[in-house]
Amino acid sequence: MTQDNKARERDRLAALAMEVTARRGVEVTPEILAGESGLSRARIDAIFPESSNLFDAVAERWFAPHIEIMEAVMASDLPANRKLYEFFARRFVHQRAYFRSDPDTFALLCDLGSRRFERVRSYIDLADHYLCELIAQAQDEGYFAKLEIDEALSLINQMVVAYTMPDMLMMLDDRLSEAKLGAIIDTLFAGLSGSDGGARGRSSLHAA
Amino acid sequence: MTQDNKARERDRLAALAMEVTARRGVEVTPEILAGESGLSRARIDAIFPESSNLFDAVAERWFAPHIEIMEAVMASDLPANRKLYEFFARRFVHQRAYFRSDPDTFALLCDLGSRRFERVRSYIDLADHYLCELIAQAQDEGYFAKLEIDEALSLINQMVVAYTMPDMLMMLDDRLSEAKLGAIIDTLFAGLSGSDGGARGRSSLHAA
């Protein structure tokens, strides 16, 4: 079997695993996958030798549309504020569509992801990598003054976390909207900098 | 037994229930509480007639310091940006101290809280009520222009959710800090308004 065929079979089985997860509402084991695919258990084990390999193949399918979205946004000729909005909004809308079409499977897959967080870490790192590029472009355009890129990265990630973290989507769905995300990105471009605006202050509380 | 004595016994048992939860790592049932307190099951049932009453008493103890913090901030003579920072920062620091001192019990109590969300709803509504007052003060001082109070409320809650939601604290603890929260509040005061800054745009993506 060629490497190409093997990659295709791996991806086909990952797709089947996601479909079976949705249908049965449980994590798919190699044993279940063998039964569902009609392949022998030995064949499944040859394609997914480590116990984490099947999970990795499913994660790869899960994040493929996210990567496609990020790459399209990065390759566009938009100004930084429009790019930052599209960077978050398109993945949010994609994720919300999946969630709304099948909340139980979404919750199950997210739970599997958070229990194997170290296996999805590289996708989050990739998003951070692109976000750093966007921040550098924004700073070239005069925004986010007096902030190191990684300071801006952390603050932006925290201020939009309601639109990126699947747990937040499950809790807040109907409170989240593209319009609000747009207002948040506008707020960042109008107000985020390394200047001390004084909110932390130096004085303690005095009763009025 | 007077109403006062009954309230004191209820509170004492709620404190015991929290202590037993921490020690045993499971939710405390009326049966466990009877055993731990040396009271009869009938006496426990007289104090907590509905199954939700014990949970409510625990929630009351849990949120009492939060309410105290919010009331102190509201009664202070600080400008709106300082108040908004203290409003979130003090509860965040309080919550973080509990979490760090006993992460397992914190996780268990939060899980109980999210599974009985309708019972803690009133505490969240109270925080929103105070936050609306703070927004009104900020608007009097010239901030958050062209936004309805409830629009500002929703946007602010979303932008600081990493500092209010216990689940976020458990996931992000070491990425969260008072300095970053201060920078977020500064960003809100410098940049949040109802003006369209253009992040959502009107055009679709074009490759560069």
Side-chain angles (χ1 to χ4, degrees):
Chain A
M1 195 177 215
T2 67
Q3 282 304 312
D4 250 25
N5 282 343
K6 199 171 167 185
R8 263 198 299 277
E9 183 158 29
R10 183 174 173 278
D11 192 50
R12 190 180 65 79
L13 288 168
L16 178 63
M18 286 177 83
E19 186 209 307
V20 174
T21 302
R23 181 155 28 91
R24 296 197 180 192
V26 293
E27 183 173 13
V28 174
T29 60
E31 192 162 7
I32 294 176
L33 192 59
E36 290 276 351
S37 64
L39 298 178
S40 69
R41 177 63 198 268
R43 180 85 204 102
I44 297 290
D45 288 346
I47 297 165
F48 303 112
E50 303 281 329
S51 68
S52 56
N53 294 158
L54 175 57
F55 176 85
D56 290 346
V58 170
E60 207 175 300
R61 277 192 72 86
W62 176 269
F63 284 108
H66 290 244
I67 293 174
E68 205 175 302
I69 287 168
M70 291 191 289
E71 286 176 347
V73 171
M74 298 310 294
S76 74
D77 59 0
L78 294 172
N81 66 334
R82 291 278 302 114
K83 270 191 193 171
L84 198 70
Y85 171 77
E86 298 291 342
F87 186 76
F88 289 114
R90 288 173 177 229
R91 286 178 298 149
F92 165 67
V93 168
H94 168 80
Q95 193 154 259
R96 183 180 60 189
Y98 192 111
F99 168 64
R100 288 185 177 171
S101 73
D102 189 347
D104 293 339
T105 304
F106 184 86
L108 178 60
L109 290 170
C110 291
D111 184 51
L112 297 178
S114 63
R115 283 195 278 125
R116 293 216 186 79
F117 188 67
E118 78 290 353
R119 311 295 306 179
V120 301
R121 183 75 237 173
S122 64
Y123 296 101
I124 292 165
D125 289 345
L126 181 66
D128 279 352
H129 166 79
Y130 284 135
L131 184 48
C132 285
E133 280 187 34
L134 286 186
I135 290 166
Q137 179 185 340
Q139 290 189 320
D140 280 347
E141 295 177 14
Y143 300 102
F144 311 151
K146 293 188 251 173
L147 283 173
E148 298 294 327
I149 286 185
D150 63 343
E151 292 173 324
L153 176 73
S154 177
L155 291 169
I156 293 171
N157 272 332
Q158 290 184 9
M159 293 172 92
V160 302
V161 73
Y163 291 86
T164 57
M165 196 82 88
D167 304 79
M168 292 287 103
L169 173 57
M170 289 187 275
M171 276 190 264
L172 303 175
D173 179 18
D174 59 346
R175 314 253 183 118
L176 301 174
S177 73
E178 292 92 313
K180 287 182 190 172
L181 176 58
I184 291 172
I185 303 296
D186 279 343
T187 303
L188 289 170
F189 274 82
L192 178 63
S193 80
S195 304
D196 180 0
R200 292 189 72 190
R202 271 161 217 88
S203 60
S204 54
L205 293 191
H206 300 283
Chain B
M1 192 175 217
T2 65
Q3 283 304 310
D4 252 22
N5 282 344
K6 200 170 166 182
R8 265 199 299 275
E9 183 158 27
R10 181 174 173 278
D11 193 47
R12 191 180 65 79
L13 288 168
L16 178 62
M18 285 176 84
E19 187 209 307
V20 174
T21 303
R23 179 155 31 90
R24 295 197 180 194
V26 294
E27 183 172 15
V28 174
T29 60
E31 192 161 8
I32 295 176
L33 192 60
E36 291 276 350
S37 65
L39 298 178
S40 70
R41 176 63 199 268
R43 180 85 202 102
I44 297 290
D45 288 346
I47 297 165
F48 303 112
E50 304 281 329
S51 67
S52 57
N53 294 158
L54 176 57
F55 176 85
D56 290 348
V58 169
E60 208 175 301
R61 278 192 72 87
W62 176 268
F63 284 107
H66 291 244
I67 293 175
E68 208 175 299
I69 287 168
M70 291 192 290
E71 285 175 348
V73 171
M74 298 310 295
S76 74
D77 59 0
L78 294 171
N81 66 333
R82 291 279 301 112
K83 270 192 194 172
L84 198 69
Y85 171 76
E86 299 291 342
F87 186 77
F88 290 113
R90 289 173 176 229
R91 287 179 296 148
F92 165 66
V93 168
H94 168 80
Q95 191 154 260
R96 185 180 58 188
Y98 192 111
F99 168 64
R100 288 185 178 172
S101 73
D102 190 348
D104 292 340
T105 304
F106 185 87
L108 178 59
L109 290 171
C110 291
D111 183 52
L112 297 179
S114 64
R115 282 195 278 122
R116 292 216 186 79
F117 188 68
E118 77 293 352
R119 312 294 307 177
V120 301
R121 182 76 236 172
S122 64
Y123 296 101
I124 292 164
D125 289 345
L126 181 65
D128 280 351
H129 166 78
Y130 284 135
L131 185 48
C132 286
E133 281 188 32
L134 287 185
I135 290 165
Q137 180 185 340
Q139 291 189 319
D140 280 348
E141 295 178 15
Y143 300 102
F144 311 151
K146 293 188 249 173
L147 282 172
E148 299 294 328
I149 286 185
D150 63 342
E151 291 173 325
L153 175 74
S154 177
L155 291 169
I156 293 170
N157 272 333
Q158 291 184 8
M159 292 172 92
V160 301
V161 73
Y163 292 86
T164 57
M165 196 82 88
D167 304 77
M168 292 287 103
L169 174 57
M170 290 187 275
M171 274 191 265
L172 302 175
D173 180 18
D174 60 345
R175 315 253 181 117
L176 302 174
S177 72
E178 293 91 314
K180 287 181 190 173
L181 177 57
I184 292 171
I185 303 296
D186 280 343
T187 302
L188 289 171
F189 275 82
L192 178 62
S193 79
S195 303
D196 180 1
R200 291 189 73 190
R202 271 163 216 87
S203 58
S204 55
L205 293 190
H206 301 283

